[in-house]
Amino acid sequence: MTASTRRRRLAVLLTAVALGAVTACTSSGGAVPDSGGSANQEQSLLDRAPVASDADLATSPTAQAIKQRGQILIGSQLDTPLLSQQNPTTGQTEGFDAILGRLLAKYILGQPNVKIVNSTSQIREALLQNNTVDVVLHTYSITPARAEKVSFAGPYFVSGPAIMARKGDTSVTKPQDLKGKRVLAVTNSTGSAMVQQYEPAQVITLSTNSECVTALEQGRGDAYVNDLTQLAGNAQTNDKVQIVSGTFGQDPYGIGIHHGDETFKRFVNTWLEKIQAAGLWQEAYKQTLGTVIPGDAPVPPKTGSVPGS
């Protein structure tokens, strides 16, 4: 498959996700950004971003504490293209989730002062429960089981699981082909639980997306299942792997906060609705994932629209 063919195929798959999000949500859709937006474009977006008033901050003790600290602590990762990837030259994290994190910081602090705390799938609940981070903002799918441990603002985006294989391998092109295969997945991800119904020979869970891609390249697994948003970043930057299926489910992404902190949840939801109404969410999308997906930005998902949010 040529590079141009691969890009067209990826664009079709991502468009399908975006359309699925619109269908699933009552007033907003979702999509995932890529890290292609320039610093100038993002600065323009940040310059126009809303800042919470004193009255807004007074509604949430957590927001007030972050304001007093002068920095927001965000659980995320640094190795996910299009979502949250550290630029080795500037040190800045780039991607849709990264931009949203800076917009949230601007809303609370008046400036985008963010500290990223590495937050893998298996430890992010613990980081919220022991107050190591203020929020987790990185492909954190909202599920009823997780909502018993943490609270979720949002959803802010809707993705879905898909399958990745080594370049040229056509033995797995749909979920049913996972039967009897060795399937890689990130520990504690929704994909790791979802693949069990397709009777794989083995589900091999690893800590991070990059570890799973490396394991797939090395032949330690036959396929890798994760959200299409994350697989898209891999496919864009790694010619040794390819996306071989469309999505076979939906993953609404939420912003994880401390369980039961309802005032902060309403505060974050209000911020999210403000940036959506101002078109800033859509601009962040265009600067990141929108550099891969053709067409306009999808409608963002409505806050509180899925169980657990």
Side-chain angles (χ1 to χ4, degrees):
M1 184 185 298
T2 65
S4 61
T5 300
R6 182 168 59 85
R7 285 194 293 272
R8 286 196 299 274
R9 185 174 181 179
L10 176 59
V12 170
L13 289 170
L14 289 170
T15 300
V17 171
L19 292 174
V22 173
T23 302
C25 302
T26 56
S27 75
S28 303
V32 187
D34 105 27
S35 55
S38 72
N40 289 339
Q41 286 178 317
E42 181 181 332
Q43 187 57 54
S44 172
L45 188 155
L46 286 168
D47 289 343
R48 290 174 283 123
V51 177
S53 66
D54 290 341
D56 293 327
L57 290 168
T59 65
S60 169
T62 299
Q64 293 177 70
I66 296 170
K67 174 79 171 182
Q68 185 172 21
R69 186 195 305 135
Q71 185 180 56
I72 186 170
L73 308 176
I74 296 181
S76 187
Q77 294 185 27
L78 304 175
D79 63 348
T80 313
L82 307 180
L83 295 167
S84 183
Q85 183 179 39
Q86 188 171 41
N87 185 315
T89 302
T90 65
Q92 182 87 319
T93 52
E94 300 174 342
F96 186 64
D97 289 348
I99 291 179
L100 291 191
R102 287 190 281 274
L103 288 173
L104 179 58
K106 171 77 181 293
Y107 186 63
I108 297 173
L109 303 166
Q111 57 184 338
N113 191 7
V114 172
K115 179 180 180 181
I116 299 295
V117 178
N118 189 39
S119 175
T120 59
S121 297
Q122 61 266 44
I123 65 170
R124 53 194 173 192
E125 278 92 5
L127 293 178
L128 285 168
Q129 290 167 340
N130 62 23
N131 296 312
T132 300
V133 298
D134 300 308
V135 302
V136 171
L137 206 171
H138 184 59
T139 65
Y140 201 178
S141 302
I142 302 172
T143 69
R146 288 174 179 167
E148 293 180 0
K149 301 176 182 177
V150 303
S151 292
F152 286 101
Y156 69 92
F157 182 78
V158 179
S159 182
I163 302 170
M164 172 164 277
R166 286 180 291 279
K167 190 73 171 289
D169 183 352
T170 59
S171 64
V172 178
T173 60
K174 58 184 180 300
Q176 290 75 16
D177 294 336
L178 297 173
K179 185 174 182 178
K181 299 292 197 303
R182 299 168 299 157
V183 180
L184 295 154
V186 175
T187 304
N188 196 32
S189 66
T190 52
S192 66
M194 189 170 293
V195 298
Q196 298 288 355
Q197 63 184 298
Y198 298 104
E199 303 179 17
Q202 183 182 10
V203 177
I204 305 167
T205 56
L206 300 172
S207 297
T208 65
N209 169 63
S210 57
E211 289 179 32
C212 287
V213 174
T214 299
L216 180 64
E217 288 183 46
Q218 295 173 342
R220 290 187 279 144
D222 303 308
Y224 170 33
V225 172
N226 203 342
D227 284 358
L228 180 59
T229 53
Q230 296 208 36
L231 298 187
N234 300 331
Q236 186 188 49
T237 59
N238 189 334
D239 285 337
K240 297 179 181 178
V241 296
Q242 61 182 350
I243 298 172
V244 294
S245 80
T247 57
F248 51 100
Q250 289 198 333
D251 277 332
Y253 293 167
I255 300 172
I257 62 176
H258 194 272
H259 189 253
D261 193 345
E262 289 300 312
T263 58
F264 190 48
K265 178 178 177 177
R266 287 194 290 273
F267 179 90
V268 175
N269 278 339
T270 297
W271 159 77
L272 189 56
E273 290 163 358
K274 285 182 178 180
I275 65 167
Q276 291 170 352
L280 302 176
W281 184 98
Q282 294 84 344
E283 286 192 44
Y285 167 86
K286 290 178 182 177
Q287 291 177 19
T288 53
L289 250 203
T291 61
V292 176
I293 303 174
D296 296 333
V299 179
K302 181 179 177 60
T303 57
S305 61
V306 300
S309 64

